[in-house]
């Protein structure tokens, strides 16, 4: 079965192809002649994954799926969330995005220490965070949704050379003391938010 995956990221395409297995041929929008980008104006990850998948469906009326991922930091009220890619600006700079998360948590930590010194209890400070991926699959015009999460916490600084995005500051619960950029791609894919959402979709497709 041929399915269009709304991504231009070769790493994501490889990961999805491995998880879906031989019965599925994944192609990119570019390979289908779809080269225009669609603005991700949704207020939730699910809304953005729908926008991206519908864009492909409307262009070619073929089986397709899109994913949208966000980093949700508990002490920041779930931010950056839907703003994850552009948290520090339109250029989607990974380092500046990570610096902004680290900076926001340092500021909050300082505020909480100050409050504590003044005898006021502030329970807002925590470094707990999670990645959440939502996939929208469209088959014959019908939409199906799949979700995967990865729980962990934000490190005090960056570590590791692997991965991308916020990997150097995210410590998954499965690897205490190591960030996602410290572990191998294989180790990350086995526990990742996207891996879980993709495996849920693969199970659905294989049971059709
Ligand atoms: P997208 O929806 O997959 O394009 O992801 C949005 C943003 O989330 C990316 O630009 C990255 O900054 C971040 N992100 C997504 N997946 C990961 C991941 O596996 N590790 C670290 N950051 C990620």
């Amino acid at each position: 079965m041929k399915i269009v995956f709304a991504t231009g990221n070769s790493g994501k395409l490889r990961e999805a192809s491995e998880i879906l297995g031989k019965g599925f041929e994944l192609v990119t929008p570019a390979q289908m002649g779809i080269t225009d980008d669609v603005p991700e104006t949704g207020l939730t990850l699910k809304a953005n994954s729908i926008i991206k998948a519908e864009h492909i469906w409307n262009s070619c009326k073929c089986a397709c799926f899109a994913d949208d991922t966000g980093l949700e930091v508990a002490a920041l009220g779930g931010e950056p969330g839907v703003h994850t890619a552009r948290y520090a600006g339109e250029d989607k700079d990974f380092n500046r995005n990570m610096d902004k998360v680290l900076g926001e948590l340092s500021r909050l930590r300082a505020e909480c220490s100050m409050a504590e010194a003044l005898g006021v209890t502030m329970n807002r400070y925590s470094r707990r965070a999670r990645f959440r991926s939502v996939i929208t699959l469209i088959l014959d015009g019908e939409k199906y949704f799949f979700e995967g999460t990865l729980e962990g916490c934000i490190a005090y600084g960056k570590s590791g050379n692997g991965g991308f995005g916020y990997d150097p500051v995210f410590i998954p619960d499965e690897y205490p003391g190591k960030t996602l950029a410290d572990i191998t791609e294989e180790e990350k894919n086995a526990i990742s938010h996207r891996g879980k959402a993709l495996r849920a979709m693969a199970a659905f497709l294989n049971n059709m």
Side-chain angles (χ1 to χ4, degrees):
M1 180 181 182
K2 193 168 172 172
I3 309 187
V4 185
F5 181 12
T7 187
N9 179 321
S10 56
K12 275 194 191 180
L13 197 68
R14 195 172 58 238
E15 182 185 4
S17 296
E18 274 165 20
I19 290 174
L20 288 178
K22 290 202 171 68
F24 299 92
E25 183 199 349
L26 289 193
V27 293
T28 62
Q31 286 171 311
M32 298 296 291
I34 307 166
T35 50
D36 52 333
D37 261 345
V38 62
E40 295 176 30
T41 51
L43 298 180
T44 61
L45 299 175
K46 184 175 176 181
N48 276 335
S49 73
I50 292 174
I51 288 173
K52 290 189 269 187
E54 276 183 339
H55 178 64
I56 303 298
W57 171 257
N58 291 334
S59 307
C60 67
K61 297 281 183 280
C62 42
C64 58
F65 69 94
D67 71 324
D68 202 51
T69 296
L71 173 67
E72 300 174 336
V73 181
L76 303 180
E79 282 286 299
V82 78
H83 306 113
T84 297
R86 297 174 173 80
Y87 194 39
E90 280 303 311
D91 56 355
K92 301 188 188 178
D93 186 275
F94 292 154
N95 266 312
R96 292 206 307 117
N97 280 342
M98 285 187 282
D99 289 342
K100 184 164 175 189
V101 168
L102 293 173
E104 290 292 322
L105 286 177
S106 299
R107 191 180 50 75
L108 204 55
R109 189 180 179 203
E111 272 175 19
C112 289
S113 310
M114 180 95 75
E116 227 165 74
L118 294 171
V120 181
T121 312
M122 273 178 76
N123 291 324
R124 280 171 57 218
Y125 178 67
S126 139
R127 300 192 82 87
R128 293 298 300 169
R130 69 176 180 187
F131 276 110
R132 195 157 65 86
S133 281
V134 181
I135 290 177
T136 297
L137 167 71
I138 306 186
L139 298 177
D140 296 325
E142 201 71 41
K143 293 186 192 75
Y144 303 89
F145 304 101
F146 307 93
E147 188 172 312
T149 56
L150 175 62
E151 301 286 337
C153 58
I154 302 296
Y156 285 90
K158 297 170 197 163
S159 170
N161 299 311
F164 73 103
Y166 295 78
D167 281 350
V169 295
F170 189 90
I171 301 175
D173 288 345
E174 288 83 348
Y175 291 92
K178 284 187 182 180
T179 70
L180 286 174
D182 287 320
I183 63 178
T184 66
E185 187 177 318
E186 208 175 43
E187 286 170 334
K188 179 184 165 186
N189 290 348
I191 59 167
S192 87
H193 39 293
R194 198 169 18 259
K196 286 173 190 156
L198 283 167
R199 274 188 286 278
M201 183 177 74
F204 169 82
L205 287 168
N206 284 314
N207 281 319
M208 276 194 333

